[in-house]
PDB file of all heavy atoms in Angstrom:
ATOM      1  N   LEU B  37      92.586  81.136 102.399  1.00  0.00           N
ATOM      2  CA  LEU B  37      91.953  80.038 101.659  1.00  0.00           C
ATOM      3  C   LEU B  37      90.624  80.489 101.056  1.00  0.00           C
ATOM      4  O   LEU B  37      90.287  80.174  99.914  1.00  0.00           O
ATOM      5  CB  LEU B  37      91.749  78.828 102.579  1.00  0.00           C
ATOM      6  CG  LEU B  37      93.051  78.229 103.126  1.00  0.00           C
ATOM      7  CD1 LEU B  37      92.777  77.102 104.110  1.00  0.00           C
ATOM      8  CD2 LEU B  37      93.933  77.741 101.971  1.00  0.00           C
ATOM      9  N   LEU B  38      89.872  81.259 101.836  1.00  0.00           N
ATOM     10  CA  LEU B  38      88.584  81.764 101.376  1.00  0.00           C
ATOM     11  C   LEU B  38      88.767  82.671 100.158  1.00  0.00           C
ATOM     12  O   LEU B  38      88.061  82.541  99.144  1.00  0.00           O
ATOM     13  CB  LEU B  38      87.939  82.560 102.523  1.00  0.00           C
ATOM     14  CG  LEU B  38      86.426  82.702 102.498  1.00  0.00           C
ATOM     15  CD1 LEU B  38      85.782  81.323 102.707  1.00  0.00           C
ATOM     16  CD2 LEU B  38      85.972  83.659 103.604  1.00  0.00           C
ATOM     17  N   ALA B  39      89.751  83.572 100.251  1.00  0.00           N
ATOM     18  CA  ALA B  39      90.009  84.501  99.142  1.00  0.00           C
ATOM     19  C   ALA B  39      90.392  83.717  97.888  1.00  0.00           C
ATOM     20  O   ALA B  39      89.894  83.998  96.787  1.00  0.00           O
ATOM     21  CB  ALA B  39      91.118  85.483  99.525  1.00  0.00           C
ATOM     22  N   ILE B  40      91.251  82.716  98.058  1.00  0.00           N
ATOM     23  CA  ILE B  40      91.676  81.906  96.913  1.00  0.00           C
ATOM     24  C   ILE B  40      90.464  81.229  96.273  1.00  0.00           C
ATOM     25  O   ILE B  40      90.304  81.226  95.043  1.00  0.00           O
ATOM     26  CB  ILE B  40      92.724  80.862  97.357  1.00  0.00           C
ATOM     27  CG1 ILE B  40      94.029  81.568  97.728  1.00  0.00           C
ATOM     28  CG2 ILE B  40      92.968  79.820  96.265  1.00  0.00           C
ATOM     29  CD1 ILE B  40      95.067  80.677  98.384  1.00  0.00           C
ATOM     30  N   THR B  41      89.586  80.680  97.106  1.00  0.00           N
ATOM     31  CA  THR B  41      88.397  80.001  96.599  1.00  0.00           C
ATOM     32  C   THR B  41      87.521  80.964  95.809  1.00  0.00           C
ATOM     33  O   THR B  41      87.087  80.677  94.684  1.00  0.00           O
ATOM     34  CB  THR B  41      87.579  79.407  97.767  1.00  0.00           C
ATOM     35  OG1 THR B  41      88.484  78.749  98.646  1.00  0.00           O
ATOM     36  CG2 THR B  41      86.524  78.446  97.271  1.00  0.00           C
ATOM     37  N   ILE B  42      87.267  82.132  96.391  1.00  0.00           N
ATOM     38  CA  ILE B  42      86.378  83.102  95.735  1.00  0.00           C
ATOM     39  C   ILE B  42      86.970  83.556  94.401  1.00  0.00           C
ATOM     40  O   ILE B  42      86.287  83.576  93.368  1.00  0.00           O
ATOM     41  CB  ILE B  42      86.125  84.318  96.660  1.00  0.00           C
ATOM     42  CG1 ILE B  42      85.305  83.868  97.869  1.00  0.00           C
ATOM     43  CG2 ILE B  42      85.413  85.441  95.908  1.00  0.00           C
ATOM     44  CD1 ILE B  42      85.147  84.927  98.946  1.00  0.00           C
ATOM     45  N   PHE B  43      88.282  83.886  94.389  1.00  0.00           N
ATOM     46  CA  PHE B  43      88.903  84.354  93.153  1.00  0.00           C
ATOM     47  C   PHE B  43      88.910  83.247  92.093  1.00  0.00           C
ATOM     48  O   PHE B  43      88.749  83.516  90.905  1.00  0.00           O
ATOM     49  CB  PHE B  43      90.334  84.847  93.415  1.00  0.00           C
ATOM     50  CG  PHE B  43      90.380  86.150  94.178  1.00  0.00           C
ATOM     51  CD1 PHE B  43      91.235  86.298  95.265  1.00  0.00           C
ATOM     52  CD2 PHE B  43      89.580  87.221  93.810  1.00  0.00           C
ATOM     53  CE1 PHE B  43      91.273  87.497  95.972  1.00  0.00           C
ATOM     54  CE2 PHE B  43      89.617  88.422  94.504  1.00  0.00           C
ATOM     55  CZ  PHE B  43      90.468  88.551  95.593  1.00  0.00           C
ATOM     56  N   SER B  44      89.104  81.996  92.532  1.00  0.00           N
ATOM     57  CA  SER B  44      89.113  80.881  91.578  1.00  0.00           C
ATOM     58  C   SER B  44      87.775  80.766  90.862  1.00  0.00           C
ATOM     59  O   SER B  44      87.715  80.478  89.657  1.00  0.00           O
ATOM     60  CB  SER B  44      89.403  79.562  92.290  1.00  0.00           C
ATOM     61  OG  SER B  44      90.555  79.671  93.053  1.00  0.00           O
ATOM     62  N   VAL B  45      86.717  80.990  91.614  1.00  0.00           N
ATOM     63  CA  VAL B  45      85.387  80.930  91.020  1.00  0.00           C
ATOM     64  C   VAL B  45      85.164  82.137  90.104  1.00  0.00           C
ATOM     65  O   VAL B  45      84.615  82.033  89.006  1.00  0.00           O
ATOM     66  CB  VAL B  45      84.298  80.884  92.120  1.00  0.00           C
ATOM     67  CG1 VAL B  45      82.900  80.967  91.506  1.00  0.00           C
ATOM     68  CG2 VAL B  45      84.452  79.614  92.957  1.00  0.00           C
ATOM     69  N   ALA B  46      85.656  83.314  90.552  1.00  0.00           N
ATOM     70  CA  ALA B  46      85.351  84.555  89.847  1.00  0.00           C
ATOM     71  C   ALA B  46      86.159  84.724  88.560  1.00  0.00           C
ATOM     72  O   ALA B  46      85.707  85.376  87.633  1.00  0.00           O
ATOM     73  CB  ALA B  46      85.588  85.748  90.773  1.00  0.00           C
ATOM     74  N   SER B  47      87.376  84.171  88.530  1.00  0.00           N
ATOM     75  CA  SER B  47      88.202  84.380  87.342  1.00  0.00           C
ATOM     76  C   SER B  47      88.821  83.073  86.859  1.00  0.00           C
ATOM     77  O   SER B  47      89.438  82.356  87.641  1.00  0.00           O
ATOM     78  CB  SER B  47      89.314  85.397  87.656  1.00  0.00           C
ATOM     79  OG  SER B  47      90.333  85.267  86.681  1.00  0.00           O
ATOM     80  N   PRO B  48      88.695  82.796  85.566  1.00  0.00           N
ATOM     81  CA  PRO B  48      89.259  81.562  85.018  1.00  0.00           C
ATOM     82  C   PRO B  48      90.795  81.595  84.983  1.00  0.00           C
ATOM     83  O   PRO B  48      91.432  80.554  84.934  1.00  0.00           O
ATOM     84  CB  PRO B  48      88.689  81.521  83.594  1.00  0.00           C
ATOM     85  CG  PRO B  48      88.341  82.932  83.272  1.00  0.00           C
ATOM     86  CD  PRO B  48      87.961  83.580  84.559  1.00  0.00           C
ATOM     87  N   HIS B  49      91.362  82.818  85.054  1.00  0.00           N
ATOM     88  CA  HIS B  49      92.826  82.915  84.993  1.00  0.00           C
ATOM     89  C   HIS B  49      93.461  82.760  86.360  1.00  0.00           C
ATOM     90  O   HIS B  49      94.682  82.772  86.483  1.00  0.00           O
ATOM     91  CB  HIS B  49      93.248  84.284  84.435  1.00  0.00           C
ATOM     92  CG  HIS B  49      92.524  84.657  83.195  1.00  0.00           C
ATOM     93  ND1 HIS B  49      92.704  83.974  82.020  1.00  0.00           N
ATOM     94  CD2 HIS B  49      91.595  85.618  82.951  1.00  0.00           C
ATOM     95  CE1 HIS B  49      91.912  84.513  81.096  1.00  0.00           C
ATOM     96  NE2 HIS B  49      91.233  85.499  81.643  1.00  0.00           N
TER      97      HIS B  49
END
Side-chain angles (χ1 to χ4, degrees):
Chain B
L37 297 176
L38 204 66
I40 291 171
T41 314
I42 292 172
F43 289 133
S44 308
V45 174
S47 161
H49 312 293

